[in-house]
PDB file of all heavy atoms in Angstrom:
ATOM      1  N   VAL A  61      -1.099  15.661  12.240  1.00 95.00           N
ATOM      2  CA  VAL A  61      -2.456  16.218  12.410  1.00 95.00           C
ATOM      3  C   VAL A  61      -2.845  16.288  13.858  1.00 95.00           C
ATOM      4  O   VAL A  61      -2.842  15.316  14.609  1.00 95.00           O
ATOM      5  CB  VAL A  61      -3.496  15.356  11.692  1.00 95.00           C
ATOM      6  CG1 VAL A  61      -4.956  15.880  11.831  1.00 95.00           C
ATOM      7  CG2 VAL A  61      -3.160  15.252  10.126  1.00 95.00           C
ATOM      8  N   ASP A  62      -3.200  17.514  14.312  1.00 94.00           N
ATOM      9  CA  ASP A  62      -3.609  17.778  15.704  1.00 94.00           C
ATOM     10  C   ASP A  62      -5.144  17.922  15.817  1.00 94.00           C
ATOM     11  O   ASP A  62      -5.691  17.696  16.889  1.00 94.00           O
ATOM     12  CB  ASP A  62      -2.916  18.992  16.243  1.00 94.00           C
ATOM     13  CG  ASP A  62      -1.458  18.934  16.356  1.00 94.00           C
ATOM     14  OD1 ASP A  62      -0.979  17.807  16.684  1.00 94.00           O
ATOM     15  OD2 ASP A  62      -0.748  19.913  16.089  1.00 94.00           O
ATOM     16  N   TYR A  63      -5.820  18.330  14.746  1.00 93.00           N
ATOM     17  CA  TYR A  63      -7.152  18.690  14.808  1.00 93.00           C
ATOM     18  C   TYR A  63      -7.920  18.146  13.530  1.00 93.00           C
ATOM     19  O   TYR A  63      -7.378  18.394  12.431  1.00 93.00           O
ATOM     20  CB  TYR A  63      -7.348  20.180  14.956  1.00 93.00           C
ATOM     21  CG  TYR A  63      -8.751  20.666  14.954  1.00 93.00           C
ATOM     22  CD1 TYR A  63      -9.577  20.524  16.028  1.00 93.00           C
ATOM     23  CD2 TYR A  63      -9.310  21.233  13.786  1.00 93.00           C
ATOM     24  CE1 TYR A  63     -10.875  20.932  16.027  1.00 93.00           C
ATOM     25  CE2 TYR A  63     -10.618  21.583  13.783  1.00 93.00           C
ATOM     26  CZ  TYR A  63     -11.436  21.522  14.931  1.00 93.00           C
ATOM     27  OH  TYR A  63     -12.695  21.929  14.876  1.00 93.00           O
ATOM     28  N   VAL A  64      -9.101  17.635  13.779  1.00 94.00           N
ATOM     29  CA  VAL A  64      -9.933  17.208  12.609  1.00 94.00           C
ATOM     30  C   VAL A  64     -11.344  17.647  12.914  1.00 94.00           C
ATOM     31  O   VAL A  64     -11.856  17.365  14.032  1.00 94.00           O
ATOM     32  CB  VAL A  64      -9.917  15.698  12.462  1.00 94.00           C
ATOM     33  CG1 VAL A  64     -10.929  15.252  11.335  1.00 94.00           C
ATOM     34  CG2 VAL A  64      -8.552  15.156  12.126  1.00 94.00           C
ATOM     35  N   ASP A  65     -11.953  18.400  11.978  1.00 91.00           N
ATOM     36  CA  ASP A  65     -13.335  18.779  12.182  1.00 91.00           C
ATOM     37  C   ASP A  65     -14.240  17.876  11.303  1.00 91.00           C
ATOM     38  O   ASP A  65     -13.763  16.947  10.727  1.00 91.00           O
ATOM     39  CB  ASP A  65     -13.570  20.297  11.936  1.00 91.00           C
ATOM     40  CG  ASP A  65     -13.407  20.676  10.502  1.00 91.00           C
ATOM     41  OD1 ASP A  65     -13.198  19.854   9.601  1.00 91.00           O
ATOM     42  OD2 ASP A  65     -13.484  21.878  10.218  1.00 91.00           O
ATOM     43  N   SER A  66     -15.517  18.199  11.189  1.00 91.00           N
ATOM     44  CA  SER A  66     -16.478  17.380  10.458  1.00 91.00           C
ATOM     45  C   SER A  66     -16.149  17.287   8.990  1.00 91.00           C
ATOM     46  O   SER A  66     -16.306  16.299   8.318  1.00 91.00           O
ATOM     47  CB  SER A  66     -17.862  17.889  10.594  1.00 91.00           C
ATOM     48  OG  SER A  66     -18.008  19.231  10.183  1.00 91.00           O
ATOM     49  N   ILE A  67     -15.499  18.349   8.462  1.00 92.00           N
ATOM     50  CA  ILE A  67     -15.020  18.372   7.095  1.00 92.00           C
ATOM     51  C   ILE A  67     -13.878  17.367   6.953  1.00 92.00           C
ATOM     52  O   ILE A  67     -13.819  16.589   5.977  1.00 92.00           O
ATOM     53  CB  ILE A  67     -14.608  19.740   6.597  1.00 92.00           C
ATOM     54  CG1 ILE A  67     -15.754  20.761   6.730  1.00 92.00           C
ATOM     55  CG2 ILE A  67     -13.994  19.717   5.215  1.00 92.00           C
ATOM     56  CD1 ILE A  67     -16.894  20.484   5.759  1.00 92.00           C
ATOM     57  N   GLY A  68     -12.952  17.355   7.880  1.00 91.00           N
ATOM     58  CA  GLY A  68     -11.930  16.378   7.864  1.00 91.00           C
ATOM     59  C   GLY A  68     -12.395  14.962   7.903  1.00 91.00           C
ATOM     60  O   GLY A  68     -11.898  14.066   7.195  1.00 91.00           O
ATOM     61  N   ILE A  69     -13.425  14.677   8.739  1.00 93.00           N
ATOM     62  CA  ILE A  69     -14.013  13.363   8.840  1.00 93.00           C
ATOM     63  C   ILE A  69     -14.642  13.014   7.478  1.00 93.00           C
ATOM     64  O   ILE A  69     -14.467  11.894   7.013  1.00 93.00           O
ATOM     65  CB  ILE A  69     -15.125  13.312   9.920  1.00 93.00           C
ATOM     66  CG1 ILE A  69     -14.483  13.420  11.358  1.00 93.00           C
ATOM     67  CG2 ILE A  69     -15.983  12.126   9.792  1.00 93.00           C
ATOM     68  CD1 ILE A  69     -13.676  12.275  11.765  1.00 93.00           C
ATOM     69  N   SER A  70     -15.216  13.954   6.841  1.00 93.00           N
ATOM     70  CA  SER A  70     -15.818  13.649   5.507  1.00 93.00           C
ATOM     71  C   SER A  70     -14.765  13.297   4.441  1.00 93.00           C
ATOM     72  O   SER A  70     -14.993  12.501   3.509  1.00 93.00           O
ATOM     73  CB  SER A  70     -16.674  14.861   4.983  1.00 93.00           C
ATOM     74  OG  SER A  70     -15.866  15.922   4.586  1.00 93.00           O
ATOM     75  N   ILE A  71     -13.527  13.839   4.629  1.00 94.00           N
ATOM     76  CA  ILE A  71     -12.418  13.455   3.730  1.00 94.00           C
ATOM     77  C   ILE A  71     -12.171  11.943   3.911  1.00 94.00           C
ATOM     78  O   ILE A  71     -12.027  11.250   2.938  1.00 94.00           O
ATOM     79  CB  ILE A  71     -11.147  14.293   4.098  1.00 94.00           C
ATOM     80  CG1 ILE A  71     -11.335  15.715   3.673  1.00 94.00           C
ATOM     81  CG2 ILE A  71      -9.913  13.681   3.391  1.00 94.00           C
ATOM     82  CD1 ILE A  71     -10.168  16.670   4.176  1.00 94.00           C
ATOM     83  N   PHE A  72     -12.056  11.497   5.166  1.00 95.00           N
ATOM     84  CA  PHE A  72     -11.826  10.061   5.400  1.00 95.00           C
ATOM     85  C   PHE A  72     -12.895   9.169   4.791  1.00 95.00           C
ATOM     86  O   PHE A  72     -12.587   8.183   4.154  1.00 95.00           O
ATOM     87  CB  PHE A  72     -11.668   9.818   6.924  1.00 95.00           C
ATOM     88  CG  PHE A  72     -10.560  10.462   7.582  1.00 95.00           C
ATOM     89  CD1 PHE A  72     -10.641  10.918   8.886  1.00 95.00           C
ATOM     90  CD2 PHE A  72      -9.314  10.688   6.922  1.00 95.00           C
ATOM     91  CE1 PHE A  72      -9.621  11.552   9.515  1.00 95.00           C
ATOM     92  CE2 PHE A  72      -8.299  11.316   7.579  1.00 95.00           C
ATOM     93  CZ  PHE A  72      -8.435  11.783   8.915  1.00 95.00           C
ATOM     94  N   VAL A  73     -14.137   9.572   5.020  1.00 95.00           N
ATOM     95  CA  VAL A  73     -15.294   8.824   4.518  1.00 95.00           C
ATOM     96  C   VAL A  73     -15.230   8.801   2.944  1.00 95.00           C
ATOM     97  O   VAL A  73     -15.411   7.700   2.364  1.00 95.00           O
ATOM     98  CB  VAL A  73     -16.579   9.393   5.014  1.00 95.00           C
ATOM     99  CG1 VAL A  73     -17.769   8.711   4.366  1.00 95.00           C
ATOM    100  CG2 VAL A  73     -16.739   9.249   6.539  1.00 95.00           C
ATOM    101  N   SER A  74     -15.028   9.914   2.367  1.00 96.00           N
ATOM    102  CA  SER A  74     -14.931  10.009   0.911  1.00 96.00           C
ATOM    103  C   SER A  74     -13.846   9.075   0.339  1.00 96.00           C
ATOM    104  O   SER A  74     -14.073   8.276  -0.610  1.00 96.00           O
ATOM    105  CB  SER A  74     -14.694  11.386   0.446  1.00 96.00           C
ATOM    106  OG  SER A  74     -15.788  12.255   0.776  1.00 96.00           O
ATOM    107  N   VAL A  75     -12.691   9.132   0.914  1.00 96.00           N
ATOM    108  CA  VAL A  75     -11.554   8.282   0.417  1.00 96.00           C
ATOM    109  C   VAL A  75     -11.917   6.812   0.649  1.00 96.00           C
ATOM    110  O   VAL A  75     -11.589   5.965  -0.189  1.00 96.00           O
ATOM    111  CB  VAL A  75     -10.234   8.734   1.069  1.00 96.00           C
ATOM    112  CG1 VAL A  75      -9.090   7.768   0.678  1.00 96.00           C
ATOM    113  CG2 VAL A  75      -9.861  10.139   0.684  1.00 96.00           C
ATOM    114  N   TYR A  76     -12.473   6.517   1.793  1.00 96.00           N
ATOM    115  CA  TYR A  76     -12.826   5.136   2.117  1.00 96.00           C
ATOM    116  C   TYR A  76     -13.873   4.665   1.094  1.00 96.00           C
ATOM    117  O   TYR A  76     -13.699   3.469   0.576  1.00 96.00           O
ATOM    118  CB  TYR A  76     -13.429   5.003   3.515  1.00 96.00           C
ATOM    119  CG  TYR A  76     -13.974   3.662   3.807  1.00 96.00           C
ATOM    120  CD1 TYR A  76     -13.097   2.683   4.198  1.00 96.00           C
ATOM    121  CD2 TYR A  76     -15.274   3.357   3.617  1.00 96.00           C
ATOM    122  CE1 TYR A  76     -13.562   1.337   4.491  1.00 96.00           C
ATOM    123  CE2 TYR A  76     -15.768   2.087   3.917  1.00 96.00           C
ATOM    124  CZ  TYR A  76     -14.927   1.121   4.326  1.00 96.00           C
ATOM    125  OH  TYR A  76     -15.432  -0.113   4.564  1.00 96.00           O
ATOM    126  N   GLU A  77     -14.802   5.374   0.718  1.00 97.00           N
ATOM    127  CA  GLU A  77     -15.824   5.006  -0.299  1.00 97.00           C
ATOM    128  C   GLU A  77     -15.194   4.687  -1.620  1.00 97.00           C
ATOM    129  O   GLU A  77     -15.536   3.724  -2.273  1.00 97.00           O
ATOM    130  CB  GLU A  77     -16.919   6.026  -0.383  1.00 97.00           C
ATOM    131  CG  GLU A  77     -17.843   6.081   0.847  1.00 97.00           C
ATOM    132  CD  GLU A  77     -18.829   7.187   0.767  1.00 97.00           C
ATOM    133  OE1 GLU A  77     -18.731   8.119  -0.031  1.00 97.00           O
ATOM    134  OE2 GLU A  77     -19.786   7.114   1.617  1.00 97.00           O
ATOM    135  N   VAL A  78     -14.298   5.552  -2.090  1.00 97.00           N
ATOM    136  CA  VAL A  78     -13.633   5.291  -3.367  1.00 97.00           C
ATOM    137  C   VAL A  78     -12.710   4.085  -3.241  1.00 97.00           C
ATOM    138  O   VAL A  78     -12.724   3.234  -4.173  1.00 97.00           O
ATOM    139  CB  VAL A  78     -12.792   6.586  -3.762  1.00 97.00           C
ATOM    140  CG1 VAL A  78     -11.956   6.180  -4.952  1.00 97.00           C
ATOM    141  CG2 VAL A  78     -13.703   7.794  -3.969  1.00 97.00           C
ATOM    142  N   ALA A  79     -12.006   3.924  -2.089  1.00 97.00           N
ATOM    143  CA  ALA A  79     -11.100   2.775  -1.996  1.00 97.00           C
ATOM    144  C   ALA A  79     -11.988   1.459  -2.007  1.00 97.00           C
ATOM    145  O   ALA A  79     -11.613   0.505  -2.655  1.00 97.00           O
ATOM    146  CB  ALA A  79     -10.371   2.801  -0.679  1.00 97.00           C
ATOM    147  N   ASN A  80     -13.076   1.506  -1.298  1.00 96.00           N
ATOM    148  CA  ASN A  80     -13.922   0.328  -1.234  1.00 96.00           C
ATOM    149  C   ASN A  80     -14.530   0.042  -2.591  1.00 96.00           C
ATOM    150  O   ASN A  80     -14.567  -1.195  -2.995  1.00 96.00           O
ATOM    151  CB  ASN A  80     -15.107   0.629  -0.242  1.00 96.00           C
ATOM    152  CG  ASN A  80     -15.832  -0.636   0.175  1.00 96.00           C
ATOM    153  OD1 ASN A  80     -15.212  -1.651   0.353  1.00 96.00           O
ATOM    154  ND2 ASN A  80     -17.110  -0.489   0.360  1.00 96.00           N
TER     155      ASN A  80
END
Side-chain angles (χ1 to χ4, degrees):
V61 177
D62 295 323
Y63 175 79
V64 177
D65 68 6
S66 60
I67 299 294
I69 291 293
S70 71
I71 290 171
F72 298 145
V73 172
S74 296
V75 174
Y76 174 82
E77 289 174 344
V78 173
N80 197 38

